Amino acid sequence: MINAYRRLATLALAGLAATAALLPLAAQAQSTKIKMVLNWKYEGPQAWFFLAQDKGYFKAEGLDVEIDQGEGSAASIPKVASGAYQAGFGDLNAVIDLATKRPAEAPVGVYMLYNTPPFTIVVKQDSPIKTPKDLEGKTVGGPANDAALKLFPGFAKIAKIDASKVKITNMAPNLREQMLSRGQVDATFGYVTTVSFSAKAMGMDPAKDLRFIRYGDHGMDLYSNTVFFSRSFAKENPKAVAGFVKALNRAIGDVIANPDAGIDAVMKREPLLKREVEKERLLATLRNDMSHPEIARIGLGDVDDERLKRGIDILVDANQLARTPTTSEVFDRSFLPARAQRPAKLF
């Protein structure tokens, strides 16, 4: 009889052990998977995404996040629209463009990062191109997925450029500054920070060797790169989207407080990068692309509805788009942490 009780006790303990062993698997099964595509190859200004991963901030929100490299700020939008990814980081203006054409497929912005327009046309310092109008009769090059190139029709209309007189040529992103330097193109499209650091890597001094015709200086005060989600995923998984944004916002605060920790996370992904260059690139992005004065009022991550509406109207008018999406169609602030929890100053 005693032996029988012992056998029963042993079986009961074995059952409890088996149940305990399954608990982590059950918890893991409950995690929401999110595949995210970045704007570009791994680099310093993506530090917060990686830090949120490494510090377990995503995991704490019940998320299993996978992050892939991208191919351009405009290229990430169709990848999310197609369902290949649930989330992305890229140009809000490409989101707006898709929302005018295929509103049911267009993703929606949830956390604005690049609140200052980085779009530019770059020329050599000694170039005869002094004003936007001077681009007529010239050749301007850029990667096919470059956001500044895609916005050029709108810029041309606002800056009163006859776009039919401007020759556009495509090149691989790593050839942009080389072709400009060698005179193979008269100007190139790009982001100010991206071009500046690529030029530095070639031994150029962007402050002395280049001039930047910035879209924002000629009436295109547009928002740029935002974190966005598939519309269907956001509708079906609002808690997961809010959790992602909360984790990201927390990691951004960490990077602002300690940029080196952010660069540590970047270097883990791509050890061949030059650490000091990526740190400088991160700080330049914080300073030049993310520090619009409006964040003192609305906080990082949010948008000013009136400013966003002006941007939408500019794009619709300049590109003769069929419909005008509302601000809420392209950006949904309902997933944001409270205003007091988001950075209001980056330096």
Side-chain angles (χ1 to χ4, degrees), residues 73-74 77 89-95 119 147 151 191 223-226:
S73 289
I77 284 78
F89 180 51
D91 185 30
L92 183 66
N93 302 291
V95 173
F119 317 107
L151 287 169
Y191 278 20
Y223 286 103
S224 180
N225 284 19
T226 183

Side-chain angles (χ1 to χ4, degrees), residues 49-256:
F49 298 112
F50 307 136
L51 199 65
Q53 239 181 0
D54 292 351
K55 286 197 168 186
Y57 294 168
F58 289 137
K59 188 176 181 181
E61 298 298 326
L63 306 176
D64 178 9
V65 179
E66 178 184 333
I67 302 174
D68 287 348
Q69 299 186 74
E71 299 172 326
S73 289
S76 54
I77 284 78
K79 291 183 179 183
V80 173
S82 71
Y85 292 87
Q86 290 77 47
F89 180 51
D91 185 30
L92 183 66
N93 302 291
V95 173
I96 294 169
D97 183 76
L98 188 58
T100 66
K101 300 167 182 173
R102 304 199 300 275
E105 299 173 31
V108 60
V110 296
Y111 194 104
M112 176 55 60
L113 280 166
Y114 292 5
N115 46 43
T116 302
F119 317 107
T120 190
I121 293 172
V122 190
V123 300
K124 291 194 288 186
Q125 187 64 247
D126 59 359
S127 170
I129 301 171
K130 307 293 184 184
T131 69
K133 188 74 174 172
D134 295 334
L135 291 166
E136 295 177 3
K138 302 296 192 295
T139 299
V140 188
N145 288 316
D146 186 87
L149 185 156
K150 289 184 175 293
L151 287 169
F152 181 68
F155 179 66
K157 183 168 184 178
I158 288 174
K160 296 182 169 49
I161 304 166
D162 185 343
S164 68
K165 295 181 180 179
V166 180
K167 181 181 178 182
I168 306 295
T169 186
N170 293 135
M171 78 270 282
N174 62 325
L175 297 178
R176 173 171 39 201
E177 291 74 27
Q178 292 180 34
M179 291 182 70
L180 178 62
S181 177
R182 293 171 182 169
Q184 294 171 286
V185 292
D186 301 301
T188 61
F189 296 104
Y191 278 20
V192 175
T193 302
T194 301
V195 173
S196 295
F197 278 87
S198 296
K200 282 184 179 183
M202 289 177 52
M204 300 173 69
D205 182 345
K208 295 180 179 178
D209 300 331
L210 302 175
R211 281 189 289 108
F212 297 88
I213 299 174
R214 301 171 187 250
Y215 287 22
D217 293 340
H218 296 275
M220 291 193 80
D221 183 26
L222 306 177
Y223 286 103
S224 180
N225 284 19
T226 183
V227 174
F228 55 88
F229 272 81
S230 153
R231 190 171 300 275
S232 59
F233 183 88
K235 183 178 180 180
E236 295 165 10
N237 302 275
K239 185 177 178 182
V241 176
F244 184 100
V245 172
K246 179 182 176 182
L248 174 63
N249 182 72
R250 185 179 176 188
I252 290 171
D254 289 354
V255 173
I256 292 170

